[in-house]
Amino acid sequence: MKKYVIMQAVAIPMFILALFIPVFITNSVIPVEVTTVSQANYTDDIYVNGFVEEKSKKDIFANLPLVPSKVNFRIGDKVNAGDVIAEIDTDATKNALLQLANMANFIPKEYVDAIGKLNVDEKIIKDYIPTEMTAPISGTITSISLVEGAISTPNTSVVTIIQADENRVKMSVNESDIDKVKVGDTVVFKANATKDVKYVGKVERVFPTATKTLVGTTQATVVGIYVDLAENYDKLRPGYTVNGVIHNADKEVVHIIPYEAVLQDAKNKEYVYVIRNSHAERCYIETGRELGDGIEILSPSLFDQAIVKNANDIKRDRGLVKIVKK
């Protein structure tokens, strides 16, 4: 009887423990998502900035003061080569020149000698004072300082014409990156004025010399490049500031894993958890570049290995895990 009581006293706790073992095991199994090492094409993107400028423009200079009698165009107007931009009042121009004789240092001597004669004949007027100012190229007028009845400033540009649809981008590349830039590399950029609109071009020329420039409060050495636009972008205007990246034409295949799969130990050594026989085993890794889709893994080769994606949920090495799908 005593023996029976002892066996009963042992059996009851064992029975109760047996009931709770499955619950204990279930609660100790960590649900995990898994990922694998993937391949990606990597290009060494270089960040650049600059501005839009005219690819081709023509400045019209007046060698001596001129008085227009009529100005036919304004800023923003389109002109064709040969169009008369302004008609010149030769009499008013001659009188103005004579009144400005004391400012001869502004007027070339040969003009003063010829026009300053008392008996000015038509040949001299024709040779030295133009009767009209014409457009040398077709395009759009971006600046004009001619005013009807007012004398112009000598030896300065009075009209600027840019050729239509002939914009390009001038950008600056830090000297430490310029060796990575080649003619033909793709450039993707945005203009501050047009917000999130993206534009595409290709490096057309790399400048042969470097220059100093201010970046914030520090001085940097940069090299200029010209970027040809892939198409005629109506929204881009000369003078707009732009920023973007140069995509190097040379692509490199790299192996990456998601950032959340990588942890660090107390010594800052990086590791992941690999699923083996329903357990999460710690595996130390060597990483490389940080990319947009994950971090580059250099070693070991973990292809075809199931790696725990939610690594922070693992509490200990070789713990039991259960793979779940999301």
Side-chain angles (χ1 to χ4, degrees):
M1 183 67 177
K2 184 175 182 180
K3 184 177 180 180
Y4 175 77
V5 171
I6 293 174
M7 289 181 64
Q8 192 175 32
V10 173
I12 292 175
M14 292 291 291
F15 176 74
I16 295 173
L17 181 61
L19 291 176
F20 282 95
I21 283 176
V23 177
F24 175 77
I25 293 175
T26 300
N27 289 338
S28 65
V29 176
I30 303 296
V32 296
E33 298 177 65
V34 296
T35 185
T36 57
V37 174
S38 60
Q39 290 186 341
N41 290 324
Y42 172 78
T43 57
D44 194 2
D45 291 345
I46 300 165
Y47 293 91
V48 289
N49 57 71
F51 57 89
V52 182
E53 69 174 19
E54 309 91 345
K55 190 173 184 179
S56 177
K57 73 174 182 178
K58 182 69 175 180
D59 289 312
I60 303 175
F61 288 87
N63 292 322
L64 70 163
L66 299 175
V67 179
S69 60
K70 186 178 180 181
V71 178
N72 299 319
F73 295 93
R74 297 180 299 175
I75 290 177
D77 288 345
K78 295 184 182 298
V79 296
N80 294 315
D83 283 351
V84 177
I85 295 175
E87 299 170 18
I88 307 302
D89 186 333
T90 54
D91 289 335
T93 297
K94 172 179 167 293
N95 292 333
L97 288 171
L98 293 175
Q99 292 174 11
L100 293 173
N102 61 337
M103 299 175 64
N105 57 317
F106 289 98
I107 307 171
K109 186 175 184 301
E110 61 269 25
Y111 289 91
V112 176
D113 292 342
I115 299 173
K117 296 177 181 178
L118 292 178
N119 298 317
V120 180
D121 59 30
E122 291 301 320
K123 183 177 184 305
I124 292 178
I125 291 177
K126 183 179 179 180
D127 288 345
Y128 290 92
I129 302 178
T131 58
E132 60 186 23
M133 182 176 293
T134 59
I137 61 172
S138 299
T140 303
I141 294 177
T142 58
S143 72
I144 184 167
S145 60
L146 297 172
V147 178
E148 292 178 4
I151 193 167
S152 66
T153 304
N155 297 320
T156 61
S157 172
V158 292
V159 180
T160 300
I161 302 173
I162 64 169
Q163 289 190 327
D165 307 331
E166 287 291 330
N167 291 331
R168 65 183 174 190
V169 178
K170 182 180 180 181
M171 289 183 162
S172 297
V173 181
N174 192 284
E175 63 176 336
S176 61
D177 293 323
I178 195 60
D179 284 346
K180 306 172 189 175
V181 179
K182 300 187 299 296
V183 171
D185 285 347
T186 299
V187 184
V188 179
F189 64 93
K190 297 179 182 179
N192 293 342
T194 57
K195 309 301 180 186
D196 293 329
V197 180
K198 289 185 178 180
Y199 307 97
V200 179
K202 289 188 178 297
V203 176
E204 182 266 332
R205 182 177 300 179
V206 179
F207 289 16
T209 58
T211 58
K212 301 286 186 182
T213 186
L214 281 178
V215 179
T217 58
T218 60
Q219 193 175 60
T221 301
V222 298
V223 177
I225 61 171
Y226 279 139
V227 177
D228 267 344
L229 300 176
E231 60 182 87
N232 173 32
Y233 295 109
D234 293 335
K235 292 185 177 182
L236 285 181
R237 299 184 180 184
Y240 277 1
T241 56
V242 300
N243 55 79
V245 295
I246 298 175
H247 294 306
N248 196 291
D250 296 331
K251 294 182 179 180
E252 177 186 353
V253 177
V254 296
H255 303 148
I256 60 173
I257 53 177
Y259 286 104
E260 58 266 39
V262 181
L263 299 176
Q264 286 185 333
D265 64 12
K267 296 181 180 179
N268 293 325
K269 294 180 64 177
E270 293 176 311
Y271 63 93
V272 296
Y273 282 109
V274 178
I275 305 297
R276 291 180 181 138
N277 299 321
S278 298
H279 290 76
E281 295 186 6
R282 180 178 296 192
C283 177
Y284 283 97
I285 61 173
E286 181 183 355
T287 60
R289 291 161 288 200
E290 296 182 356
L291 310 175
D293 297 330
I295 189 168
E296 180 184 16
I297 179 169
L298 301 176
S299 66
S301 176
L302 295 177
F303 274 110
D304 301 325
Q305 295 285 331
I307 299 170
V308 177
K309 188 175 182 181
N310 52 321
N312 274 318
D313 292 342
I314 305 298
K315 306 305 178 184
R316 62 188 181 88
D317 189 19
R318 298 180 181 276
L320 279 172
V321 294
K322 178 183 179 180
I323 298 174
V324 297
K325 294 182 179 180
K326 285 194 176 182

